Amino acid sequence: MGDLELLLPGEAEVLVRGLRSFPLREMGSEGWNQQHENLEKLNMQAILDATISQGEPIQELLVTHGKVPTLVEELIAVEMWKQKVFPVLCRVEDFKPQNTFPIYMVVHHEASIINLLETVFFHKEVCESAEDTVLDLVDYCHRKLTLLVARSGCGGPPEGEGSQDSNPMQELQKQAELMEFEIALKALSVLRYITDCVDRQWSVSQPPQLAHLKRMQCLYPVCWFLSPGKLQQFEGSRWHTVAPSEQQKLSKLDGQVWIALYNLLLSPEAQARYCLTSFAKGQLLKLRAFLTDTLLDQLPNLAHLQSFLAHLALTETQPPKKDLVLEQIPEIWERLERENRGKWQAIAKHQLQHVFSPSEQDLRLQAQRWAETYRLDVLEAVAPERPRCAYCSAEASKRCSRCQNEWYCCRECQVKHWEKHGKTCVLAAQGDRAK
């Protein structure tokens, strides 16, 4: 790892052991910000470890110290904050912060956690260490995939172009909406890794977790949205035009959907617990149209899925079961909502006064910590692809000389993007000078 090592083993263990859940009221506070920075460091270190394939110390530490349930609770807590408190902040007419970056960090927190979970959930022991919170995580992924299906008619995420009349809070709302699409795709990967553990979770003597199945079966319609053969594909956090010769090539996202469907449909336990109604049978048989020879060449195991669907076409459907069913219910979302019901306005008011209105000196200190956390050499090492122009998304070779954070393909794009990038650039540059 050499110079790219972000955390020493002892440092990583201290950060993992210190992870805890924060009340919604404390999000954005000094202690919360410190944990967010720690999570970002753990996130980047986990990606570096996975990239060089020399052990997975972050994953091992999370399992050893039992912190996966903590991450799941924090993930759902910030999701609730974004749905319940963030809109209240955006509606306050006289709230005009000199910089929206402190709020952006809370909005971005969900993306940081789901990205870390995507990296470590590749290992089945992490899924097992989540214990009962894996049901809450499945429920979370179900909400995100429902969002993907709802947007399938639009063909992708919302456009990122902002209006010149937009105020900073409106721009932040647009950024949050764009981020939500990427979060949903990360949730898809996490859910796919959970499906790898279906038989392991249900091989013990206790009854199968029926709620897992019901929510993971939301994957069935997602394959329509992410099916191969589209003119554009979403990879590396961007939409890319696919050349005609590459349109039959299976993307990573499509592969995640097919593997998850394979795990769910061919699992003996899942088959035994799934009520095959006439509607469900009709929906599943639509998969046959996508199981082309080209796809089977890339994922040969899908031949078993093809055989299963051929047998399914000859199978009689079942009437809905009326038996008494006992199942676990996800409890984190319900508990957080119950604890904070009727307090959303008060939480927003408290955070507006004490958290999201920092002084100029506080902003500079935060900028210095952010600059120390987001080291450029590490960010470049974990980047999934070559840098892209911040304005037009073309491959970029020139970096902003002032803040060193944004990339551009040419001078013209940098000038056009300055109105949007200017404030962040000045803040980042001040942080560098303060170091």
Side-chain angles (χ1 to χ4, degrees):
M1 199 178 300
D3 294 337
L4 285 182
E5 188 167 36
L6 185 63
L7 295 172
L8 296 174
E11 294 174 329
E13 183 170 10
V14 170
L15 297 188
V16 169
R17 291 179 65 178
L19 293 176
R20 67 182 182 93
S21 300
F22 281 81
L24 269 64
R25 181 184 176 90
E26 294 184 23
M27 288 191 175
S29 65
E30 184 176 352
W32 182 94
N33 269 311
Q34 183 61 60
Q35 176 158 295
H36 173 76
E37 293 165 15
N38 293 343
L39 271 171
E40 288 288 14
K41 292 176 182 178
L42 292 171
N43 193 7
M44 289 186 284
Q45 187 64 58
I47 295 174
L48 283 173
D49 293 338
T51 301
I52 63 173
S53 301
Q54 291 186 4
E56 305 288 347
I58 303 303
Q59 159 254 320
E60 293 171 1
L61 288 171
L62 290 171
V63 172
T64 300
H65 296 290
K67 294 298 183 179
V68 175
T70 303
L71 291 178
V72 174
E73 181 157 352
E74 271 290 278
L75 177 69
I76 296 173
V78 75
E79 178 197 18
M80 179 170 288
W81 182 93
K82 287 170 64 177
Q83 290 191 21
K84 304 291 187 179
V85 181
F86 181 53
V88 177
L89 289 172
C90 294
R91 289 196 298 267
V92 178
E93 295 182 359
D94 59 347
F95 178 48
K96 298 179 180 179
Q98 56 179 315
N99 195 289
T100 58
F101 208 66
I103 309 176
Y104 174 84
M105 297 308 289
V106 183
V107 173
H108 184 263
H109 192 59
E110 182 181 7
S112 299
I113 298 176
I114 193 65
N115 193 75
L116 177 57
L117 291 177
E118 181 193 28
T119 303
V120 300
F121 257 73
F122 176 80
H123 305 274
K124 293 183 179 181
E125 57 268 26
V126 176
C127 183
E128 294 171 351
S129 73
E131 300 177 341
D132 290 343
T133 61
V134 73
L135 177 56
D136 296 273
L137 184 56
V138 168
D139 201 53
Y140 168 87
C141 294
H142 174 269
R143 291 192 292 271
K144 297 304 176 181
L145 294 191
T146 300
L147 173 67
L148 276 185
V149 175
R151 284 180 172 172
S152 62
C154 303
E159 294 296 328
E161 294 297 327
S163 168
Q164 293 184 354
D165 299 328
S166 299
N167 61 44
M169 290 302 293
Q170 290 172 333
E171 286 295 324
L172 187 57
Q173 282 180 290
K174 293 174 183 175
Q175 292 175 8
E177 190 175 359
L178 284 168
M179 198 182 302
E180 194 68 21
F181 182 81
E182 296 189 41
I183 289 171
L185 296 182
K186 296 290 184 182
L188 168 62
S189 294
V190 170
L191 190 58
R192 167 263 194 269
Y193 293 136
I194 294 175
T195 65
D196 287 341
C197 301
V198 166
D199 289 332
R200 294 180 67 167
Q201 291 172 6
W202 295 338
S203 62
V204 294
S205 58
Q206 63 184 7
Q209 309 285 0
L210 301 183
H212 287 61
L213 267 180
K214 291 181 179 178
R215 287 162 178 81
M216 287 194 287
Q217 284 155 0
C218 70
L219 273 169
Y220 295 162
V222 176
C223 59
W224 288 212
F225 171 42
L226 296 173
S227 59
K230 291 186 177 292
L231 297 179
Q232 288 192 323
Q233 288 183 347
F234 190 82
E235 284 194 87
S237 302
R238 297 180 185 276
W239 283 98
H240 303 288
T241 299
V242 182
S245 60
E246 298 290 319
Q247 288 183 16
Q248 295 300 316
K249 185 177 179 180
L250 192 67
S251 71
K252 177 182 177 181
L253 290 171
D254 290 327
Q256 297 282 39
V257 174
W258 283 114
I259 294 172
L261 288 169
Y262 177 92
N263 290 338
L264 287 175
L265 291 173
L266 273 69
S267 163
E269 292 287 354
Q271 290 180 20
R273 299 290 173 173
Y274 184 54
C275 182
L276 185 63
T277 63
S278 178
F279 174 78
K281 176 181 175 179
Q283 294 298 308
L284 292 176
L285 289 179
K286 292 179 181 179
L287 290 170
R288 293 189 297 178
F290 298 102
L291 290 168
T292 62
D293 292 340
T294 303
L295 176 61
L296 294 177
D297 287 340
Q298 296 174 76
L299 279 178
N301 281 351
L302 292 184
H304 299 295
L305 178 59
Q306 190 177 47
S307 300
F308 166 80
L309 293 174
H311 181 266
L312 178 64
L314 305 175
T315 303
E316 294 293 331
T317 58
Q318 307 166 3
K321 295 181 179 179
K322 298 182 180 180
D323 298 337
L324 176 64
V325 175
L326 299 178
E327 64 179 64
Q328 279 187 282
I329 301 296
E331 63 90 24
I332 295 178
W333 177 276
E334 295 293 336
R335 173 171 53 79
L336 291 174
E337 190 170 39
R338 185 172 60 254
E339 293 172 351
N340 296 281
R341 187 175 295 119
K343 301 178 183 178
W344 313 119
Q345 295 278 353
I347 293 173
K349 182 178 180 180
H350 169 80
Q351 293 180 331
L352 186 153
Q353 295 175 349
H354 302 287
V355 178
F356 298 134
S357 299
S359 64
E360 185 67 27
Q361 182 179 3
D362 290 337
L363 279 174
R364 291 189 179 187
L365 291 174
Q366 287 185 3
Q368 180 179 351
R369 293 202 305 269
W370 294 330
E372 293 171 352
T373 300
Y374 298 103
R375 283 173 38 188
L376 292 177
D377 56 342
V378 177
L379 290 176
E380 290 176 4
V382 302
E385 57 176 15
R386 292 184 62 82
R388 296 274 174 174
C389 177
Y391 184 77
C392 70
S393 298
E395 191 170 301
S397 58
K398 304 178 186 298
R399 178 185 279 166
C400 175
S401 60
R402 187 174 193 175
C403 70
Q404 298 289 308
N405 290 338
E406 293 285 13
W407 288 83
Y408 299 96
C409 62
C410 61
R411 174 68 178 170
E412 290 75 12
C413 282
Q414 184 176 14
V415 172
K416 292 176 182 177
H417 192 247
W418 177 251
E419 183 176 357
K420 186 175 182 180
H421 172 57
K423 293 181 180 178
T424 305
C425 180
V426 172
L427 182 61
Q430 288 175 344
D432 287 340
R433 288 198 297 269
K435 290 169 53 175

